[in-house]
Amino acid sequence: MGVSVATVSRGVARLEERLGARLLNRTSRQLALTEFGGTIAEKAGDLYRQAEEAESAAREMSVQPRGLVRLAVSMAFGLRWVAPLLPGFFQAYPEVSVDLHLSDATVDIVAQGFDAALRMAALPDSSLVAKRLCPIAQLVVASPDYLARCGRPTHPRELAGRPCLSYAYRARNEVWRFVNDAGEEEPVTPVGPLRVTNSDALLPMLLQGLAIAELPEFIAGEYLANGRLESILTDWHLTRGGLYFVTPSARARPAKVTALADYFADHLSEPVWLCRA
């Protein structure tokens, strides 16, 4: 072990004192295990072999993707874009399983024991490690019927007095902060008959031509493409965010988490909704 005889002797003496019995019979010419020492050595050997097996298994798991990944995703995004990708992931990595937690409420991935999360917009917690997968814009939309009936607003101030639906889990607050290319800012507080915790719940009101709302482009893109919704105030934009794969730490990241991160990077870096929007 690369240590002196005296160091080993002191270590054995401390161990014997802690166990309350002699492990070795020592003479000037030889060392021999006592009966107690032999029993302890056999049990210690078993424990050592189990530790080696556990270490070997851990190393294998860190190299070969296998095991459970606990993943947190927003409800709307998870149903639309994550769940459809999972069959291909499981075919590529049959020894990995995913516990998919769908909720629009922001979870504390460290405190709640998640391995990773897919999150939209800005990430204030610097203790997390975030990999940006793609941009995500927030769009203000209305139906063609609403615009024909009520007129198309050309400035954010014209939203005052109109029914504007709101989303309870906005990353910052309930104020829509518009900015144009000239750097002008215009805050608008949406006032309307409906406030939701899932953006999909805004669609019936929008499609019936009863209101204006903010939607992420991964939801709005489908309806913009088929003409059922139109983007308004296109000379202005709301806070521009992105889709991030977030983990508690990049150090010693298990292979199963890295495999999932790489898979999402491959399939969500140029998503369909960007073309639709």
Side-chain angles (χ1 to χ4, degrees):
M1 296 178 66
V3 296
S4 68
V5 173
T7 299
V8 174
S9 295
R10 287 194 295 271
V12 171
R14 286 195 299 270
L15 182 57
E16 289 178 329
E17 183 178 357
R18 191 167 73 219
L19 296 176
R22 182 178 291 275
L23 297 171
L24 295 168
N25 287 319
R26 297 184 277 283
T27 69
S28 59
R29 302 182 64 178
Q30 65 177 8
L31 289 172
L33 283 169
T34 63
E35 182 179 359
F36 175 74
T39 301
I40 294 297
E42 183 179 356
K43 292 182 177 179
D46 290 340
L47 290 173
Y48 186 79
R49 283 187 291 274
Q50 291 175 26
E52 284 187 320
E53 290 172 2
E55 183 178 15
S56 176
R59 287 176 175 172
E60 185 179 351
M61 288 178 67
S62 68
V63 175
Q64 299 296 330
R66 74 163 50 94
L68 176 66
V69 179
R70 297 193 69 226
L71 176 68
V73 189
S74 73
M75 179 72 73
F77 188 81
L79 291 175
R80 269 184 171 80
W81 300 102
V82 175
L85 291 177
L86 291 180
F89 176 78
F90 292 134
Q91 288 176 333
Y93 301 99
E95 296 187 66
V96 179
S97 57
V98 174
D99 183 351
L100 183 61
H101 178 86
L102 297 174
S103 173
D104 282 9
T106 301
V107 300
D108 184 332
I109 67 172
V110 176
Q112 295 179 246
F114 286 97
D115 298 296
L118 284 171
R119 285 187 177 169
M120 272 67 76
L123 298 170
D125 189 346
S126 60
S127 68
L128 301 177
V129 178
K131 178 179 182 179
R132 192 172 190 264
L133 303 181
C134 68
I136 292 183
Q138 297 293 120
L139 308 176
V140 180
V141 297
S143 72
D145 178 63
Y146 175 89
L147 297 174
R149 191 176 68 255
C150 302
R152 181 184 295 270
T154 59
H155 192 281
R157 286 194 296 267
E158 296 176 26
L159 296 177
R162 294 178 182 248
C164 295
L165 311 182
S166 57
Y167 174 62
Y169 291 134
R170 287 189 92 246
R172 298 185 182 276
N173 50 50
E174 293 188 20
V175 177
W176 296 351
R177 299 192 180 279
F178 290 90
V179 180
N180 63 14
D181 291 338
E184 299 173 311
E185 297 185 12
E186 188 71 34
V188 173
T189 300
V191 178
L194 180 64
R195 182 173 182 265
V196 302
T197 58
N198 186 300
S199 294
D200 277 311
L202 300 173
L203 289 169
M205 289 283 287
L206 287 169
L207 297 174
Q208 285 293 319
L210 299 177
I212 294 170
E214 171 199 33
L215 285 180
E217 61 183 331
F218 66 80
I219 294 178
E222 171 187 349
Y223 299 93
L224 297 173
N226 62 28
R228 299 181 69 189
L229 292 176
E230 295 182 18
S231 184
I232 62 175
L233 299 171
T234 53
D235 292 334
W236 298 77
H237 63 82
L238 296 170
T239 302
R240 290 169 174 162
L243 174 67
Y244 295 86
F245 187 87
V246 182
T247 54
S249 173
R251 292 192 304 170
R253 176 186 288 174
K256 60 185 180 181
V257 176
T258 299
L260 191 61
D262 293 344
Y263 186 81
F264 285 146
D266 290 341
H267 291 79
L268 293 174
S269 58
E270 297 180 0
V272 174
W273 73 73
L274 291 179
C275 300
R276 289 176 177 171

